[in-house]
Amino acid sequence: MNKLTPKQKRFVDEYLIDLNATQAYIRAGYKANSEAVAGVEGHKLLKNPKIEKAISEAMEKRSKRTNITADRVLYQLAKFAFADIRDLMTWDEETGRITLLPPDQIDGSIITELTQTVTEVPYGEELMADKITTKVKRGDPLKALELIGKHLGMFDPKNAHIDELSKAQVEKMKAETELTKERIKLLKGDKGDTALIANVAELFKAVNKGEDDEN
């Protein structure tokens, strides 16, 4: 396989920065009258076998180098999505006081922000006391669930009832195949199985009717 041209190599390097084919196409020095044109041409380059292979190899090397894999990212998103806030603190039901657990009892990877402020407040007639306020922010569970759902294709309308649709298509293909076989036999003068033809024809009608009902 021939090597990439300098401009194709630049496109690969630029694409790896933000995975944006449009901007990678522009930054690589290709000429485009508009971003729309750059987008079309950029995605054409992504389909180039040499470029596709170069990107895949570079991403694999980067994954090994940084130890960041798709599974690891998905695992962290799952922790954000399903973490229980009660795993970070204790709550005294009598006083309503919330106390943050000791550091060694907390999974720090689910916390995105931890701040503590100290303010002076009056205590008695002449004294002042420190009021300590601790703020803990965990990873956004809704955003994490959204990203997980997108990764799994859960929100793609094309995937709705995909199992039922696939089964119907398979049955239709089987029916069409059997009908074609028996019709070829009849055309050749062979003794076709008329009962089979009738049964398959009924199945074919039923499958088509089911697809029409879904549409």
Side-chain angles (χ1 to χ4, degrees):
M1 182 178 289
N2 296 329
K3 294 182 178 180
L4 298 177
T5 66
K7 194 168 286 188
Q8 288 176 332
K9 177 65 168 60
R10 177 72 185 279
F11 173 81
V12 171
D13 293 340
E14 293 294 337
Y15 180 75
L16 290 170
I17 294 174
D18 53 12
L19 304 184
N20 186 318
T22 301
Q23 295 305 316
Y25 186 86
I26 295 172
R27 294 194 299 260
Y30 288 98
K31 293 182 180 180
N33 296 328
S34 65
E35 282 200 358
V37 173
V40 172
E41 296 302 322
H43 281 85
K44 284 183 180 179
L45 286 178
L46 291 179
K47 295 179 181 178
N48 181 306
K50 292 186 296 182
I51 292 177
E52 184 179 11
K53 184 174 185 292
I55 290 175
S56 178
E57 290 177 347
M59 293 182 78
E60 184 177 354
K61 288 179 181 178
R62 183 168 65 181
S63 177
K64 290 180 179 178
R65 184 172 64 252
T66 61
N67 196 29
I68 298 176
T69 63
D71 285 346
R72 189 175 178 187
V73 171
L74 193 60
Y75 176 69
Q76 182 60 40
L77 286 173
K79 291 174 72 173
F80 283 150
F82 305 115
D84 191 330
I85 193 69
R86 292 172 297 183
D87 293 336
L88 302 176
M89 61 192 68
T90 59
W91 180 21
D92 190 319
E93 294 185 1
E94 293 183 2
T95 64
R97 183 183 295 274
I98 294 175
T99 304
L100 194 64
L101 291 173
D104 60 348
Q105 296 182 30
I106 293 178
D107 182 357
S109 65
I110 66 173
I111 298 176
T112 59
E113 181 183 343
L114 178 58
T115 58
Q116 192 173 74
T117 57
V118 180
T119 55
E120 288 189 340
V121 296
Y123 182 72
E125 295 182 359
E126 299 180 358
L127 300 177
M128 300 292 289
D130 290 339
K131 178 182 178 182
I132 302 175
T133 303
T134 302
K135 179 181 178 182
V136 180
K137 185 177 180 181
R138 53 174 282 194
D140 187 344
L142 292 179
K143 183 62 178 178
L145 286 171
E146 178 185 352
L147 292 172
I148 292 172
K150 287 181 179 179
H151 176 78
L152 298 176
M154 295 171 64
F155 306 137
D156 189 345
K158 295 179 181 178
N159 291 337
H161 309 299
I162 190 168
D163 290 337
E164 290 76 11
L165 180 59
S166 297
K167 291 176 182 177
Q169 289 176 333
V170 170
E171 292 301 323
K172 180 179 179 181
M173 291 173 64
K174 288 181 179 179
E176 288 176 335
T177 301
E178 293 301 325
L179 276 173
T180 301
K181 287 181 179 178
E182 293 304 318
R183 285 170 176 166
I184 290 175
K185 287 182 181 180
L186 290 175
L187 289 173
K188 287 183 176 181
D190 297 337
K191 185 178 180 181
D193 189 339
T194 55
L196 177 60
I197 294 178
N199 290 335
V200 173
E202 287 299 320
L203 174 61
F204 185 69
K205 289 179 181 178
V207 171
N208 279 333
K209 184 177 183 301
E211 290 185 345
D212 291 340
D213 291 341
E214 290 179 1
N215 296 331

